Amino acid sequence: MSTTTATHHDDHGDHGHPTGIMRWVASTNHKDIGTLYLWFSFFMFLFAGAMALGIRAELFQPGLQFLEPEQFNRLTTLHGLIMIFGAIMPAFVGFANWMVPMMIGAPDMAFPRLNNMSFWLLIPAALLLIGSIFVPGGAIAGGWTMYPPLSIQQGMAMDMTIFAIHILGISSIVGSINIITTILNLRAPGMGLMKMPLFIWTWLITAFLLIASMPILAGAITMMLTDRHFGTSFFDAAGGGDPVLFQHVFWFFGHPEVYIMILPAFGIVSTIIPAFARKPLFGYASMVYATSAIALLSFVVWAHHMFTTGMPVAGQLFFMYSTMLISIPTGVKVFNWIATMWRGSMTFETPMLFSIAFVFLFTLGGFSGLVLAILPVDIQLQDTYYVVAHFHYVLFSGAAMSIMAGVYYWLPKWTGHMYDETLGKWHFWLTTIAFNITFFPMHFTGLAGMPRRVPDYALQFAEFNMISSLGAFALGISQLLFLYVVIKCIRGGEKAAANPWEGAEGLEWTVPSPAPFHTFETPPTVK
Amino acid sequence: MNKRTILSLGAAFLSLFTINSHADYALNLKTPATEIASQIYDLHMLILWVCVAIFIVVFGLMFYSIVKHRKSVGHKAAQFHEHHWLEIIWTIIPVVILVVMAYPATKTILAMKDTAAADMSIKITGYQWKWGYDYLDQNVKFISTLSTPQDQIHNKEEKGENYLLEVDNPMVVPVGQKVRLLITAADVIHAWWIPEFGVKQDAIPGFMKEAWIRVEKPGTYRGQCAELCGKEHGYMPIVVEAMEQADYDAWVVAQQDASAAASAGADKEWAQDDLITAGKAVYEKNCSVCHGATGAGIPPAFPAMTGSAVVTGPIETHLDMILNGKNIMPAWKAVLNDVDIAAVIAYERNALGNSTGDSIQPSAVKAAR
Amino acid sequence: MSQNTKNYYLPGASFWPLIASIALFLMAAGFSMSLNDMAIGTSILIAGGVVFAYLLFGWFADVVKESVSGFYNKQVDASFRWSMGWFIFSEVMFFASFFGALFYIRNVSLDWIEAGKVWPDFVAVWPTAGPAATEALVGMGPWGLPAINTVILLISGATLTYAHWGLMKDNRKQTIIGLLLTIALGVIFLYLQVHEYAEAAFTMAGSGIYGSTFYLLTGFHGLHVTMGTIMLAVILFRIMKGHFDSHNHFGFEAVAWYWHFVDVVWLLLFIFVYWL
């Protein structure tokens, strides 16, 4: 093995590059690894999306039709885990891989081999998670948050899930160290921190959040493992522990995790809106400060996920106030995006459409977040469909739609072809409309009192659930169109210029489309 | 897609508009029945309208810009990218709005947390998957489980008006009294929730959490467990009946009489056939969700009763398993009385495909506790 | 290209990442099986461990080879420094989760168990084995072995710095003596720690929350000391091979940072686990 490595030392540069399966398995090229990440996440997105359709099929009508309650719980659990760790996070890492070196004028990531390891660790984690469906007892059914003591009751699948998350944690930490090092150490001469594209800033802060929070999750699930098998009593009151301790540790990871999934989305949208408004981003500096403020606040708000656990009043007040504060930097961002559009010269290609939908729908999710931050109201809404609506507005129309925006925006750079604009717009409208049909009614069912994670419900929730289910199937099918557009673009289409967008700025548009295998081997100078 | 599918889809779509013949959908929080719930209702409306106002202003501007500042109508891009005053103003205004929201919210939180000076206390225990109520001052104690028939859940008969929101023994409280709720759990975390009361409190094993209610009007109030607690999480509703004080007092007396009768039953000698007959009902209510109505179980998580080593082995082991539980199997000693346990043991050993021929008397169960 | 250190060094294709993923998969799958009483699990776990050891040797051998061939320029060196710093930060956060658990239990939740009266006789004192325990628990006092271990680790930090000074002066003898002393102190620390576990009046599985926090915190620390000692031994070996000089010795510094981090964790353990 080491000889292979040694002989390839001088392979890069103008000597061509490995081909066939080797190119992907043993890759040390940030673009190839980025591609692997993006395809992996897309596959997982469809897989976990299919699970969501199973959930919605069961909820189409009251009563039990297709699933037993325990199977239903397995679906909701795996849907959450796979969407978060398998779809959203790897997609953003894929963007970081492709775009960070090109945007800062670096030849590659700081540690190309570790970069490849970060990707290949996703595979055993996915095998463990998906494989857990087939072990005795079936996949875990305790929710993606894995609260004990329910998780202590789960079978072998729980251990496999714990190890899968450990491996994902290693992947994330190694990947983040790589990204943070690349950004801090490999910027082209002249690119000061305050000259970095905003996408780079958001990823810098995201990488920091990942390094700070993933080890905390590792600690939480390690305690879970020893409680399950080695007789410790961290989460068992009889031994002096507390089940709620897990929730504290989990959400100390979990809230930064929420921003890990949204900050890169801010970065993508902040790149796209100026390009199609043909106008510089409004308030660059305040965007940087707002992103940093959101990241820091994310470490002091975690217990707002636990308002119903019965904290003392001082704790409740502290976490309510700190949570409300988050709306200030987030509001600044929304205002900045709209000020960027203001008096621009806008066109509405697919990436711009997705970005505008992001601003609009993510802000709706922000409003429901503000409602949930008000503790007395949260008491009514905690663990209802209102929460489900809220986090799908921030995670689907927030994170996932920004990913779609980014894919359309950079596809010409990645493939060298323009995507089919008509089909792209179809995909946009179908997705946006179906998304709202699916998730908007959940605000109503939640307010009216439908708990989440139930396979069956009382009759007054029937109408809205039926609407949601119809929307969900439309939403699911629309994503196959996305797959088709992407494949079509890879296989051919109108040749893309180095900069196919009139208003796009940044180093990535100074290299040809498709971007050559190696870019910026000699760093460019930024004025 | 054949004609029938199209028709049934069409029917499903039409039914969107007609289905509310048996239950009305709702768009907002339920009508409050306590002072706290009213405050929450008003808080929610306040925040909702504030958000709507911000929404209209902000997105009014955005859509104005989208319509007017587009390239296709010939708008030329300005090049400004900073405006300090604007940025300061739109940071300060949200702060003011937040303070306006936080003030009433804080007042409500302080009121919610004030469990002092209660007129009576009820201890509520969450079990997988039922609720136990213990009236600490009246010595009344009972278990409350879902009463919706399995046939309704499995679509074999038409669903009733209170589908999934009905129980055999509702919790009963007098109106106008401040009732302190002491909430805990025996196995995993549950959450006790009645929307009309504005109370949702996690039930955490080993910990006792407090909440309080003062119901204003007599009536029946329905809620559900709100924390994922395993496979029957969707099937452990909470029903509270609020009564006038006199009705409540009569109810307490009736409950006390019933429990006296039950403990008398524990001391008499039971015939094995009577135990088996009584045991069938106990089994179907408590055991069949996991071990199956026919005793087939859902292996490997939930073992079969038929031919089980515990059920067909020594009767002491069988009794110990039911009293104290093991792993996922809950401990039943706080839930079932002596007669119930003796009966279910007799049933499991002499039905469901087993025939050990032996049984145990309620008095022996009492002794083993 | 190989002699050209003007550009940032980019390695060619490598199978090590794939091998890493295979190793971790085998270890995770094997461990899951053996925890759930599947006999084959342990063998798979061991096989995964062997692959993992092979991976560590092979990958680090490649890196060392590249380093001594002079492929790494100043900028690569800076990358290593940044990344080691962030790696140690992630380790800090890992320990933070267990320290956080300890503080939460001791200062918050034990009082709630007492106030909740689910166990009417329970009184929240530290150390405790929890309300269901039948006997009182005797914790581990600070002023025996733990104090000695504290002194040992503090001295080891000094001897490591002594070795570093030697390296800066290109004094190989001083470096080797300093490193040998540090490794010896690390081994003595580990020996005493094992001794302490053997003598302890409580266990991880049977002593409630005190045993849980004590053994997980000190156990993970002990694991880090073990890794640090092995890493120091590798560095000693590389010094003897002449891999480092006064200008180029990031490998040494990385391990030194790691050792000092492990030292600091111990001080916190001494204060919060043994003493207070």
Side-chain angles (χ1 to χ4, degrees):
Chain A
M1 221 56 67
S2 50
T3 52
T4 324
T5 321
T7 53
H8 281 281
H9 276 159
D10 42 9
D11 240 17
H12 80 86
D14 300 316
H15 300 281
H17 49 78
T19 50
I21 187 88
M22 259 281 283
R23 168 176 170 186
W24 302 102
V25 171
S27 178
T28 48
N29 180 285
H30 72 99
K31 302 185 184 77
D32 283 356
I33 297 169
T35 305
L36 287 170
Y37 262 111
L38 289 168
W39 276 115
F40 175 85
S41 83
F42 197 40
F43 176 74
M44 287 294 154
F45 178 64
L46 295 179
F47 184 75
M51 292 182 159
L53 295 187
I55 295 168
R56 284 316 321 173
E58 178 55 55
L59 292 175
F60 184 66
Q61 285 185 313
L64 290 178
Q65 286 84 23
F66 307 105
L67 300 166
E68 287 302 311
E70 193 72 345
Q71 292 171 323
F72 181 90
N73 291 345
R74 286 188 194 118
L75 281 187
T76 53
T77 305
L78 279 186
H79 167 75
L81 278 173
I82 294 180
M83 276 296 184
I84 289 168
F85 291 106
I88 304 282
M89 289 170 70
F92 282 132
V93 183
F95 276 102
N97 258 296
W98 255 101
M99 302 321 299
V100 166
M102 283 213 280
M103 285 175 137
I104 64 173
D108 204 297
M109 298 291 276
F111 304 105
R113 277 180 297 225
L114 285 179
N115 194 20
N116 196 28
M117 185 178 88
S118 301
F119 171 76
W120 282 99
L121 288 185
L122 296 181
I123 305 295
L127 287 176
L128 287 166
L129 266 183
I130 296 170
S132 75
I133 298 169
F134 305 102
V135 299
I140 62 164
W144 84 276
T145 50
M146 305 175 287
Y147 285 0
L150 188 58
S151 297
I152 309 286
Q153 292 182 348
Q154 308 285 314
M156 175 176 175
M158 192 69 226
D159 302 313
M160 295 171 75
T161 307
I162 287 174
F163 293 130
I165 295 173
H166 272 306
I167 294 175
L168 287 166
I170 298 171
S171 161
S172 289
I173 292 169
V174 171
S176 303
I177 291 176
N178 211 337
I179 290 168
I180 219 167
T181 304
T182 308
I183 296 175
L184 292 175
N185 193 38
L186 265 66
R187 293 193 309 280
M191 185 178 279
L193 283 176
M194 290 309 275
K195 280 190 183 170
M196 297 194 304
L198 207 75
F199 178 71
I200 303 297
W201 258 113
T202 55
W203 244 114
L204 179 69
I205 293 166
T206 302
F208 165 76
L209 288 179
L210 273 166
I211 298 173
S213 68
M214 290 306 285
I216 301 279
L217 176 64
I221 57 177
T222 303
M223 290 182 234
M224 173 94 77
L225 186 76
T226 58
D227 263 20
R228 282 169 58 81
H229 293 291
F230 301 104
T232 57
S233 5
F234 287 103
F235 310 133
D236 179 8
D242 180 359
V244 177
L245 167 63
F246 179 85
Q247 299 182 22
H248 280 290
V249 184
F250 180 87
W251 286 113
F252 190 85
F253 143 81
H255 208 79
E257 168 70 16
V258 171
Y259 295 136
I260 286 162
M261 292 189 284
I262 204 65
L263 294 185
F266 290 166
I268 291 173
V269 169
S270 303
T271 311
I272 293 175
I273 290 180
F276 293 95
R278 292 167 182 75
K279 192 164 156 278
L281 181 68
F282 185 88
Y284 172 89
S286 69
M287 283 296 217
V288 172
Y289 302 141
T291 311
S292 314
I294 291 173
L296 291 178
L297 280 174
S298 75
F299 288 104
V300 292
V301 298
W302 76 89
H304 70 218
H305 297 268
M306 305 158 52
F307 278 156
T308 59
T309 55
M311 275 177 278
V313 75
Q316 293 197 329
L317 290 175
F318 172 80
F319 285 107
M320 178 175 82
Y321 297 149
S322 61
T323 305
M324 292 171 78
L325 280 182
I326 287 181
S327 62
I328 295 169
T330 316
V332 165
K333 285 184 161 292
V334 174
F335 299 144
N336 281 344
W337 288 321
I338 292 171
T340 306
M341 293 183 210
W342 191 255
R343 291 176 55 209
S345 176
M346 278 187 272
T347 52
F348 302 93
E349 288 86 348
T350 311
M352 183 63 163
L353 289 176
F354 270 108
S355 298
I356 291 172
F358 170 94
V359 174
F360 185 77
L361 296 173
F362 171 80
T363 306
L364 279 186
F367 282 136
S368 56
L370 186 56
V371 171
L372 289 169
I374 308 296
L375 188 140
V377 182
D378 182 78
I379 295 286
Q380 285 288 34
L381 298 176
Q382 166 78 7
D383 272 312
T384 67
Y385 261 82
Y386 194 90
V387 175
V388 178
H390 162 69
F391 67 69
H392 282 94
Y393 267 83
V394 289
L395 282 182
F396 193 101
S397 62
M401 279 203 189
S402 82
I403 290 166
M404 291 168 192
V407 167
Y408 283 110
Y409 182 62
W410 282 304
L411 257 183
K413 182 57 61 190
W414 297 341
T415 64
H417 305 125
M418 296 307 286
Y419 60 89
D420 187 325
E421 189 65 57
T422 315
L423 287 182
K425 284 191 169 132
W426 268 99
H427 172 229
F428 167 76
W429 286 110
L430 286 172
T431 302
T432 309
I433 293 167
F435 168 79
N436 283 293
I437 294 175
T438 311
F439 293 103
F440 204 76
M442 290 182 187
H443 292 110
F444 301 131
T445 44
L447 282 167
M450 177 166 163
R452 61 190 283 217
R453 294 166 164 170
V454 290
D456 196 357
Y457 47 82
L459 299 180
Q460 70 263 33
F461 308 124
E463 294 87 348
F464 284 132
N465 270 290
M466 194 174 268
I467 297 171
S468 280
S469 289
L470 292 173
F473 277 88
L475 185 59
I477 292 163
S478 312
Q479 302 322 307
L480 298 178
L481 179 60
F482 186 32
L483 179 64
Y484 175 73
V485 176
V486 170
I487 291 174
K488 191 174 171 216
C489 177
I490 292 171
R491 303 186 57 150
E494 189 195 329
K495 276 258 161 279
N499 185 354
W501 311 119
E502 203 183 317
E505 306 233 0
L507 288 174
E508 77 265 35
W509 305 110
T510 62
V511 300
S513 299
F517 196 64
H518 290 292
T519 39
F520 299 125
E521 283 184 281
T522 313
T525 305
V526 179
K527 285 187 290 307
Chain B
M1 200 186 273
N2 63 29
K3 226 178 199 163
R4 183 176 293 167
T5 337
I6 294 173
L7 273 178
S8 57
L9 274 180
F13 185 71
L14 282 178
S15 67
L16 293 179
F17 305 99
T18 55
I19 202 165
N20 48 7
S21 53
H22 45 247
D24 282 336
Y25 66 86
L27 298 173
N28 204 347
L29 293 169
K30 287 194 184 150
T31 314
T34 64
E35 171 58 28
I36 294 289
S38 304
Q39 289 184 18
I40 294 175
Y41 191 95
D42 296 342
L43 260 177
H44 173 253
M45 293 318 289
L46 168 74
I47 303 156
L48 182 66
W49 288 117
V50 169
C51 286
V52 167
I54 301 172
F55 179 85
I56 289 171
V57 172
V58 171
F59 289 106
L61 287 171
M62 185 178 90
F63 282 110
Y64 175 84
S65 175
I66 286 173
V67 171
K68 294 284 182 184
H69 305 151
R70 49 169 72 211
K71 197 182 174 192
S72 57
V73 298
H75 196 272
K76 291 274 179 293
Q79 288 302 314
F80 67 88
H81 56 88
E82 258 178 350
H83 192 292
H84 287 296
W85 275 111
L86 197 58
E87 292 176 61
I88 290 169
I89 287 168
W90 72 37
T91 312
I92 288 175
I93 290 179
V95 176
V96 176
I97 296 174
L98 289 181
V99 173
V100 171
M101 289 180 182
Y103 179 70
T106 305
K107 280 212 307 203
T108 304
I109 293 172
L110 295 175
M112 286 170 117
K113 283 290 193 178
D114 180 17
T115 54
D119 299 312
M120 58 180 282
S121 297
I122 303 175
K123 181 180 157 195
I124 301 172
T125 309
Y127 300 94
Q128 281 175 319
W129 294 274
K130 55 184 74 59
W131 291 97
Y133 298 99
D134 188 350
Y135 289 64
L136 294 175
D137 313 316
Q138 283 84 2
N139 196 25
V140 170
K141 225 172 142 173
F142 57 91
I143 296 287
S144 170
T145 51
L146 178 76
S147 63
T148 301
Q150 285 294 314
D151 280 353
Q152 286 190 16
I153 295 172
H154 289 96
N155 307 310
K156 287 176 194 147
E157 68 181 62
E158 201 181 333
K159 295 175 175 37
E161 186 194 354
N162 293 312
Y163 176 68
L164 296 188
L165 298 176
E166 50 201 349
V167 298
D168 51 0
N169 303 310
M171 174 173 136
V172 177
V173 293
V175 293
Q177 298 279 340
K178 182 167 183 176
V179 182
R180 187 169 66 131
L181 308 175
L182 296 165
I183 300 171
T184 187
D187 32 47
V188 302
I189 300 177
H190 305 267
W192 194 90
W193 176 35
I194 296 277
E196 288 96 333
F197 297 168
V199 171
K200 183 186 287 148
Q201 173 57 56
D202 288 1
I204 299 160
F207 291 79
M208 194 70 74
K209 300 290 180 180
E210 295 189 8
W212 67 274
I213 54 175
R214 180 184 278 128
V215 187
E216 287 163 353
K217 271 196 311 232
T220 306
Y221 303 97
R222 297 168 199 278
Q224 286 179 271
C225 175
E227 179 64 63
L228 179 61
C229 56
K231 74 185 184 71
E232 303 291 311
H233 163 57
Y235 302 96
M236 50 182 292
I238 299 146
V239 179
V240 177
E241 279 186 25
M243 297 176 176
E244 296 294 351
Q245 187 69 42
D247 298 336
Y248 170 76
D249 292 338
W251 175 83
V252 169
V253 172
Q255 291 293 310
Q256 285 165 341
D257 290 350
S259 88
S263 61
D267 298 327
K268 80 169 203 213
E269 191 78 3
W270 284 65
Q272 182 160 315
D273 285 346
D274 293 341
L275 281 175
I276 294 174
T277 316
K280 185 170 193 307
V282 179
Y283 181 86
E284 281 167 1
K285 200 169 125 187
N286 297 291
C287 316
S288 63
V289 280
C290 295
H291 296 295
T294 61
I298 314 172
F302 306 108
M305 290 282 99
T306 314
S308 148
V310 173
V311 174
T312 56
I315 204 160
E316 293 76 25
T317 323
H318 191 177
L319 174 62
D320 180 62
M321 177 70 90
I322 292 176
L323 283 176
N324 300 312
K326 187 186 169 194
N327 299 335
I328 312 185
M329 171 77 179
W332 292 93
K333 65 176 155 198
V335 178
L336 298 177
N337 64 32
D338 301 332
V339 179
D340 289 344
I341 291 178
V344 82
I345 288 176
Y347 178 70
E348 285 173 358
R349 297 177 83 83
N350 298 293
L352 304 173
N354 299 325
S355 51
T356 57
D358 57 352
S359 61
I360 190 168
Q361 284 299 320
S363 50
V365 176
K366 197 174 187 177
R369 278 179 190 263
Chain C
M1 172 65 214
S2 345
Q3 282 10 294
N4 179 4
T5 55
K6 203 169 99 265
N7 286 338
Y8 194 89
Y9 173 74
L10 298 176
S14 166
F15 279 101
W16 294 123
L18 183 70
I19 294 170
S21 99
I22 292 169
L24 284 177
F25 179 71
L26 291 177
M27 281 158 56
F31 200 19
S32 304
M33 289 182 192
S34 71
L35 286 175
N36 290 278
D37 306 320
M38 294 188 191
I40 185 92
T42 316
S43 319
I44 299 177
L45 175 61
I46 292 170
V50 170
V51 178
F52 193 70
Y54 167 71
L55 161 88
L56 287 181
F57 275 106
W59 195 334
F60 277 109
D62 273 6
V63 174
V64 169
K65 206 180 297 164
E66 287 161 10
S67 170
V68 297
S69 313
F71 290 167
Y72 297 161
N73 63 10
K74 274 230 168 67
Q75 202 181 7
V76 177
D77 196 61
S79 285
F80 284 136
R81 283 162 197 279
W82 275 117
S83 60
M84 191 66 195
W86 287 110
F87 171 68
I88 290 176
F89 173 60
S90 79
E91 292 269 40
V92 169
M93 294 310 284
F94 182 71
F95 278 99
S97 69
F98 292 96
F99 275 109
L102 178 71
F103 296 147
Y104 174 80
I105 295 285
R106 286 184 60 170
N107 299 320
V108 179
S109 71
L110 276 179
D111 291 337
W112 292 350
I113 297 182
E114 180 183 325
K117 294 272 180 261
V118 175
W119 291 270
D121 305 328
F122 177 69
V123 183
V125 288
W126 191 262
T128 178
T134 44
E135 292 165 37
L137 182 110
V138 182
M140 185 68 71
W143 302 120
L145 282 183
I148 297 172
N149 263 343
T150 308
V151 174
I152 287 174
L153 276 194
L154 287 177
I155 295 174
S156 80
T159 55
L160 190 57
T161 305
Y162 176 74
H164 196 188
W165 288 345
L167 194 53
M168 302 289 274
K169 290 182 292 191
D170 282 318
N171 182 344
R172 242 174 80 175
K173 201 170 146 209
Q174 181 181 339
T175 313
I176 290 175
I177 291 173
L179 268 177
L180 273 174
L181 281 172
T182 314
I183 293 170
L185 289 167
V187 172
I188 295 172
F189 173 90
L190 286 171
Y191 170 78
L192 291 178
Q193 198 68 356
V194 170
H195 187 71
E196 176 186 292
Y197 285 2
E199 300 281 296
F202 53 88
T203 58
M204 180 163 97
S207 305
I209 192 64
Y210 181 79
S212 310
T213 50
F214 178 87
Y215 279 101
L216 255 74
L217 273 162
T218 59
F220 273 115
H221 176 263
L223 214 62
H224 282 72
V225 175
T226 312
M227 290 202 297
T229 310
I230 294 170
M231 278 151 58
L232 283 171
V234 172
I235 293 298
L236 176 65
F237 178 74
R238 290 187 64 190
I239 296 230
M240 301 220 236
K241 291 265 249 175
H243 284 177
F244 298 126
D245 59 44
S246 54
H247 299 297
N248 185 6
H249 55 261
F250 171 70
F252 178 94
E253 283 180 293
V255 175
W257 293 354
Y258 191 78
W259 192 257
H260 291 313
F261 150 70
V262 172
D263 259 11
V264 173
V265 172
W266 175 261
L267 286 180
L268 294 175
L269 284 178
F270 182 72
I271 295 170
F272 293 112
V273 175
Y274 291 96
W275 188 3
L276 295 181

